[in-house]
Amino acid sequence: SRRPSIYYRPINPNDLDRLEQIHRDIFPIKYESEFFQSVVNGVGIVSWAAVDRNRPGGYSDELIGFVTAKFVLAKESEIDDLICYGSSQGEETLIYILTLGVVETYRNHGIAMSLISGVIRYASGLSLCRGVYLHVIAYNNPAIRLYNRLMFRCVRRLNGFYLIKRQHFDAFLFVYFVKGS
Ligand code: ACO
């Protein structure tokens, strides 16, 4: 089989069906169609896709991984207490990662690592952005290892944060602070 050639690009409206399908396949939580519309149209959401340019059968531009995120005002976020405010009059922002996923056959190649590094690089280039944060379900060890490896800090354990099939699960809140904030 051919060697994958992973390429990163923005998500666009042609990705809609595939994006919905992967979310359905890999997340225990249901996302509404408004969410996917916002992602593919870039309405209030920033996102990146990974594709395999060597994927045969006309699939060389089909999503095999993605990360979606949104901007949050730092002072309105749940980590308001962890932010050092400067002279920007409360205009500081954070990027909140909504979803991250890589299809199973493409895992363990560093694709998630590259996607999250891209988010960090993007955040670091924004003068008012203080960091990147996210929630992860407490039993998701592959994701937790990834965030630890990328120097995110686990700042909280939230009791019963997720409700899945009438069962509560804890979440960890991970933060990556940019520019020494
Ligand atoms: N060769 C061999 N191993 C490698 C290579 C390589 N070239 N590159 C990375 N690896 C290893 C890493 O060291 C890591 O090892 P570890 O798990 O033993 O620590 C492992 O591969 C995974 O790292 P990545 O390849 O960067 O991650 P991957 O692309 O496999 O995606 C993810 C990880 C996103 C968690 C994936 O498992 C997934 O989609 N899971 C289901 C959805 C999910 O849980 N998403 C995150 C939820 S949290 C949120 O969305 C905010």
Side-chain angles (χ1 to χ4, degrees):
S1 70
R2 279 176 262 193
R3 204 184 151 74
S5 169
I6 307 302
Y7 174 74
Y8 299 89
R9 63 161 176 78
I11 293 179
N12 68 60
N14 292 326
D15 296 318
L16 182 62
D17 290 348
R18 177 68 173 163
L19 188 73
E20 289 204 43
Q21 186 204 332
I22 308 178
H23 275 74
R24 259 199 318 274
D25 288 349
I26 70 176
F27 292 117
I29 293 167
K30 187 181 182 301
Y31 292 89
E32 300 302 322
S33 70
E34 296 80 63
F35 167 69
F36 298 109
Q37 287 293 342
S38 306
V39 174
V40 301
N41 296 306
V43 181
I45 299 212
V46 285
S47 66
W48 290 265
V51 300
D52 175 8
R53 283 184 155 174
N54 279 349
R55 196 161 162 223
Y59 294 114
S60 62
D61 195 47
E62 194 177 81
L63 297 202
I64 53 116
F66 57 81
V67 60
T68 67
K70 67 174 179 181
F71 280 97
V72 174
L73 263 183
K75 66 179 175 194
E76 289 172 6
S77 76
E78 67 192 288
I79 53 166
D80 169 59
D81 55 317
L82 301 176
I83 306 299
C84 300
Y85 291 96
S87 53
S88 307
Q89 296 165 320
E91 288 174 45
E92 289 87 353
T93 62
L94 294 167
I95 290 183
Y96 177 67
I97 295 184
L98 294 158
T99 61
L100 163 75
V102 173
V103 304
E104 237 172 89
T105 49
Y106 282 92
R107 288 185 193 165
N108 303 318
H109 285 81
I111 295 173
M113 177 89 98
S114 296
L115 286 164
I116 299 295
S117 302
V119 177
I120 290 174
R121 215 176 314 120
Y122 173 75
S124 305
L126 303 170
S127 62
L128 290 170
C129 189
R130 290 288 179 266
V132 179
Y133 74 108
L134 58 92
H135 293 103
V136 56
I137 201 159
Y139 61 70
N140 190 345
N141 293 322
I144 290 165
R145 280 197 302 273
L146 172 76
Y147 300 129
N148 278 321
R149 204 176 311 114
L150 285 166
M151 310 304 283
F152 277 74
R153 279 165 45 191
C154 183
V155 296
R156 234 157 257 170
R157 184 181 184 119
L158 302 163
N159 259 305
F161 180 83
Y162 290 106
L163 180 61
I164 297 166
K165 292 181 181 157
R166 291 193 275 157
Q167 230 194 304
H168 289 277
F169 297 91
D170 295 356
F172 292 119
L173 200 166
F174 277 90
V175 190
Y176 182 98
F177 293 103
V178 302
K179 292 188 279 285
S181 48

